[in-house]
Amino acid sequence: MTITNNEILYLYDAKLTNPNGDPDEENRPRMDYEREMNLVSDLRLKRYIRDYLDAKGHDIFVRRVDDEPVTADKRIKDLDDSSNEWILNNLTDVRMFGATMTVKKDNKTFIGPIQFNWGYSLNKVELLEASITSHFSASETATQGTIGKDFRVKYSLIAFSGVVSGNRAKKTMLKDEDLILLDEAMKYAIPNLATRSKIGQYPRLYIRTEYVDNETILGDYRDYIELKENVPNIRDINECSLIIDRLVELFKGNKEKIKNIFYFADEKLEMIFQGERVSFEEAFKDLPLKQIE
């Protein structure tokens, strides 16, 4: 089947964890300090997806071996005699996100059809700073472990927006199966990454709207949702609600442009439509919904 334009909304939360450390800030969570807003780069989200692809046995271009990153130069040497068709048929992340590589002094550039904006928190976020002591000493003569800093967010509900370009999908040979795999990754990749700094993050809402053509773009879905904080300084998903009236109106007002809506909605995320708590299915009824299992 021919892939058409899609748009994506993705919400996940982070509790007492570091969603995306900034190496220029002692690995503190990325922040817009003026707005007290937690930021997460698109590269961090793609890393989650790539890790999921790797764990599922897919060959990818940007990967790690024995938990160490493989440099682009080393990876490219393995592809010196590979055609564009072979690369796109075999490297799932290139079909999805694109890549730039120099093979035998020729530049190969694949512009990925799946792209995300940076994510940002819907709530104001406070940082937690703690001193930590390593069991390993700084030198053989030292008797105590080294002391460092650990930075985490107290609570952050992070929202991403993304697009799938139908026109670019043709050029990278993106498959329908790749989009199904993307849906799976958005639901399962983050919970499956149980590292010390990333544990405490859970997907709460994912919407991938498949349009009927390659021209339709309705805009950043984050502009059509509103977070209601039911207590000051929320610390848990149970302490807030998501008002979705404008998003429902957007979808229903453009129903003829929508082929399918692929989604999952965590039951702990309270959604409010017309002043009442509703399920995702109740709010978006009469639209072509396809739940992700």
Side-chain angles (χ1 to χ4, degrees), residues 51-67:
D51 287 346
Y52 184 81
L53 297 176
D54 194 23
K56 294 280 285 187
H58 291 258
D59 197 5
I60 59 177
F61 177 63
V62 182
R63 62 175 305 181
R64 301 172 76 89
V65 174
D66 295 330
D67 206 35

Side-chain angles (χ1 to χ4, degrees), residues 4 56 62 64 66 83 95 112 153 219 221 226:
T4 57
K56 294 280 285 187
V62 182
R64 301 172 76 89
D66 295 330
S83 65
R95 290 198 304 273
V153 298
Y221 291 165
E226 179 184 349

Side-chain angles (χ1 to χ4, degrees), residues 149-160:
K149 294 289 186 181
D150 187 34
F151 303 96
R152 298 174 180 241
V153 298
K154 292 184 178 179
Y155 184 78
S156 179
L157 181 58
I158 301 158
F160 270 93

Side-chain angles (χ1 to χ4, degrees), residues 36-38 121-125 155-157 227 229 234:
E36 301 175 82
M37 182 185 294
N38 182 211
S121 62
L122 299 178
N123 62 304
K124 290 185 177 182
V125 171
Y155 184 78
S156 179
L157 181 58
L227 185 68
E229 300 187 27
I234 60 172

Side-chain angles (χ1 to χ4, degrees), residues 88 95 110-111 113 165-174:
L88 293 173
R95 290 198 304 273
F110 305 98
I111 301 176
S165 167
N167 289 325
R168 290 202 298 267
K170 298 175 186 176
K171 296 180 180 180
T172 66
M173 300 167 58
L174 189 71

Side-chain angles (χ1 to χ4, degrees), residues 267-292:
E267 61 181 12
K268 292 183 179 179
L269 175 63
E270 181 178 82
M271 286 182 283
I272 303 296
F273 176 59
Q274 296 180 342
E276 300 290 336
R277 179 174 182 173
V278 295
S279 67
F280 187 92
E281 295 79 9
E282 290 169 336
F284 294 92
K285 63 182 180 181
D286 302 325
L287 289 167
L289 302 181
K290 292 186 178 294
Q291 188 172 10
I292 299 164

Side-chain angles (χ1 to χ4, degrees), residues 131-148 196:
S131 297
I132 56 173
T133 303
S134 169
H135 290 291
F136 296 96
S137 60
S139 67
E140 291 183 3
T141 58
T143 58
Q144 294 182 336
T146 57
I147 298 176
R196 179 178 179 274

